[in-house]
Amino acid sequence: GQSLEQPSEVTAVEGAIVQINCTYQTSGFYGLSWYQQHDGGAPTFLSYNALDGLEETGRFSSFLSRSDSYGYLLLQELQMKDSASYFCAVREAAGNKLTFGGGTRVLVKP
Amino acid sequence: NAGVTQTPKFQVLKTGQSMTLQCAQDMNHNSMYWYRQDPGMGLRLIYYSASEGTTDKGEVPNGYNVSRLNKREFSLRLESAAPSQTSVYFCASSESNLEGTDTQYFGPGTRLTVL
């Protein structure tokens, strides 16, 4: 089976940097994804890491360390619109199912 | 392209009633999924279909059935609704490629309340 842990809530001010950590235990691992979900909305894809290292997409970056079963999502230059829940999700080896973490609620204050 | 569509958007049922949630995608994706999301929690996989003609149980399949009607459509049925099934239900689809991200695209959700 799979289990993922991430903090439940983070609060920061506009312009700040937030790091959301995700640790996972899995019987098989193919990659780590991150999804964003605004209140009342549907999850949308942000980033994916299959190999160790950092992937950068604009203000958002994601990191993976397979040996540590650990990843993080880095939100830079925070904006009010970044207030949302962020979910890490493990993709099983040789499959296309995702197992999601419980989500981290990010609250951006002025 | 509409992406992933779900009907209905909202539904209230009484305990013991049955209903079917509909999902369709126009992206020619092979795989489709049904998740439930309880307040303040993550998504839990109910059932998925890796390709047309196949379905498999996810983490929380009890009390649900699914049908992959064709490549586009994947329905979720509650035969005898229970208050514990009050939740938001999301349908998703993906290409199911073995390389790359295999991004899942989600529908807008169905908000179901069982009284």
Side-chain angles (χ1 to χ4, degrees):
Chain A
Q2 322 267 19
S3 69
L4 296 91
E5 288 193 16
Q6 51 181 127
S8 60
E9 191 170 300
V10 173
T11 301
V13 297
E14 270 187 301
I17 299 173
V18 160
Q19 179 172 315
I20 303 170
N21 298 322
C22 175
T23 57
Y24 58 88
Q25 290 183 325
T26 175
S27 55
F29 179 84
Y30 201 77
L32 185 70
S33 298
W34 290 92
Y35 284 76
Q36 179 192 59
Q37 184 181 30
H38 287 99
D39 284 349
T44 57
F45 172 80
L46 285 178
S47 68
Y48 176 75
N49 296 72
L51 303 175
D52 286 357
L54 191 68
E55 294 280 343
E56 296 180 78
T57 309
R59 294 186 297 114
F60 295 175
S61 303
S62 58
F63 172 82
L64 175 66
S65 169
R66 295 174 70 111
S67 60
D68 295 323
S69 297
Y70 163 77
Y72 66 73
L73 179 70
L74 194 69
L75 315 180
Q76 300 181 74
E77 300 172 20
L78 274 178
Q79 301 177 8
M80 296 298 290
K81 67 180 180 179
D82 298 330
S83 290
S85 292
Y86 294 83
F87 297 90
C88 58
V90 165
R91 183 178 178 189
E92 293 185 355
N96 52 9
K97 289 195 303 180
L98 291 178
T99 300
F100 283 81
T104 299
R105 189 175 181 84
V106 173
L107 178 61
V108 181
K109 294 186 172 181
Chain B
N1 289 349
V4 179
T5 57
Q6 293 182 232
T7 55
K9 286 186 169 54
F10 300 91
Q11 183 70 50
V12 179
L13 293 178
K14 294 180 180 178
T15 297
Q17 287 185 317
S18 62
M19 79 162 294
T20 299
L21 282 65
Q22 306 287 353
C23 174
Q25 52 93 8
D26 62 3
M27 295 173 283
N28 202 36
H29 285 166
N30 289 313
S31 298
M32 298 185 73
Y33 314 83
W34 276 106
Y35 295 91
R36 62 176 288 173
Q37 185 176 35
D38 299 323
M41 297 184 68
L43 296 136
R44 291 185 291 170
L45 184 65
I46 305 171
Y47 272 93
Y48 70 104
S49 171
S51 61
E52 186 179 355
T54 68
T55 60
D56 284 290
K57 294 179 180 179
E59 181 186 353
V60 288
N62 290 347
Y64 306 95
N65 286 300
V66 291
S67 295
R68 183 74 183 266
L69 304 170
N70 48 56
K71 192 171 186 179
R72 289 187 64 249
E73 298 172 288
F74 188 38
S75 62
L76 178 73
R77 183 162 178 83
L78 287 70
E79 290 291 351
S80 179
S84 61
Q85 293 178 306
T86 294
S87 191
V88 180
Y89 291 84
F90 287 102
C91 177
S93 71
S94 71
E95 283 188 2
S96 183
N97 58 340
L98 294 180
E99 303 294 328
T101 67
D102 197 39
T103 301
Q104 292 195 9
Y105 296 86
F106 286 81
T110 295
R111 283 146 184 81
L112 175 67
T113 300
V114 183
L115 303 175

